[in-house]
Amino acid sequence: MRRIVTLVLGALLLALPTATTAVAAPRAPEPVTVAVTGEGSATSPPDAAVLNAGVEVTGETVAAAMAAQNTAARAFLDAVAAQGIADGDVRTDGMFLGRVDPPFNPDGSTTGYRAGQSFTVTVRDIARIGDVITAVSEATGNAGHINGISFDVADRHALEARARVEAFADARAKAEQYAVLAGGEVGRLVSVSEDGAFVPPAFRLPPSGAGETVPVAPGEVTSTVTVYAVYELT
């Protein structure tokens, strides 16, 4: 009987789970980080001009207004082509046709119709932009209008790259200053992102007088980049 009890007790002891004590490894402290903003910009003389212009006419009937619009638009395009502007650098941006109603018009009558077309013309040789404006104004007469002109560079990526270098250096310099103030050093770069803006000079121009070339000051175009960077401090 004693042997049987001993065997049963041993079996019960073997069936019980063995208690163990798990010791968790100490957690490494979270790295200290600093988030900074860097700004940089780069400027360059423009190498292209974008002219926004068009024609607008009126006629007593729809047909008359459209015929006058066609004549004015053809004169505009012929003048641009005569200045050596490639077909791919001329684009129609919009066309419109609408009634011209007198003020306080209770009976719904109309005095005629207005029709027009707007264009974007890219001039690759900036020195010729004044000649193009003059030619367009002379060819279209009272039907023509110049809405404005802006300047651009063909290789924006190179301009943005220069601004990006300056912005990143500015962010790094700020992070290093914070590291010194905290009694440490700048560690690895955790993340970086950017915002960018391209700012061409732009202004409005009145139509030129006959035989007079419009003087134009291109100025400079500017690319601005803002960098958001996070660094570890060690």
Side-chain angles (χ1 to χ4, degrees):
M1 179 64 68
R2 181 177 298 176
R3 178 178 176 83
I4 294 173
V5 172
T6 302
L7 291 174
V8 171
L9 182 59
L12 291 174
L13 291 175
L14 290 174
L16 293 175
T18 303
T20 59
T21 302
V23 180
R27 295 182 60 183
E30 292 291 333
V32 177
T33 61
V34 59
V36 291
T37 300
E39 296 182 349
S41 61
T43 59
S44 173
D47 52 22
V50 180
L51 177 66
N52 296 298
V55 295
E56 182 177 329
V57 296
T58 57
E60 292 184 358
T61 64
V62 169
M66 286 303 299
Q69 189 277 150
N70 293 342
T71 299
R74 191 173 297 111
F76 182 100
L77 295 174
D78 289 346
V80 168
Q83 292 297 313
I85 307 300
D87 291 344
D89 287 331
V90 184
R91 182 182 71 239
T92 295
D93 288 330
M95 182 179 293
F96 62 89
L97 172 66
R99 289 162 49 106
V100 180
D101 295 334
F104 308 109
N105 185 28
D107 60 355
S109 62
T110 181
T111 60
Y113 295 87
R114 178 181 291 110
Q117 190 171 170
S118 58
F119 302 94
T120 295
V121 180
T122 301
V123 182
R124 304 292 176 182
D125 183 1
I126 287 185
R128 295 193 54 79
I129 183 61
D131 293 334
V132 173
I133 294 172
T134 300
V136 165
S137 299
E138 292 178 349
T140 57
N142 292 333
H145 57 85
I146 307 296
N147 297 328
I149 181 174
S150 61
F151 295 94
D152 203 350
V153 291
D155 188 1
R156 290 191 182 184
H157 296 295
L159 196 62
E160 291 171 353
R162 287 166 47 200
R164 191 173 292 115
V165 169
E166 184 176 321
F168 191 80
D170 183 43
R172 176 77 186 193
K174 291 177 180 178
E176 290 175 348
Q177 182 181 12
Y178 280 113
V180 171
L181 294 173
E185 295 181 350
V186 175
R188 71 183 184 91
L189 177 65
V190 177
S191 65
V192 63
S193 60
E194 76 166 50
D195 287 335
F198 183 79
V199 185
F203 49 90
R204 297 176 66 86
L205 291 174
S208 66
E212 179 185 356
T213 298
V214 176
V216 174
E220 289 186 327
V221 294
T222 302
S223 180
T224 301
V225 171
T226 301
V227 171
Y228 306 97
V230 178
Y231 290 91
E232 284 187 358
L233 296 184
T234 61

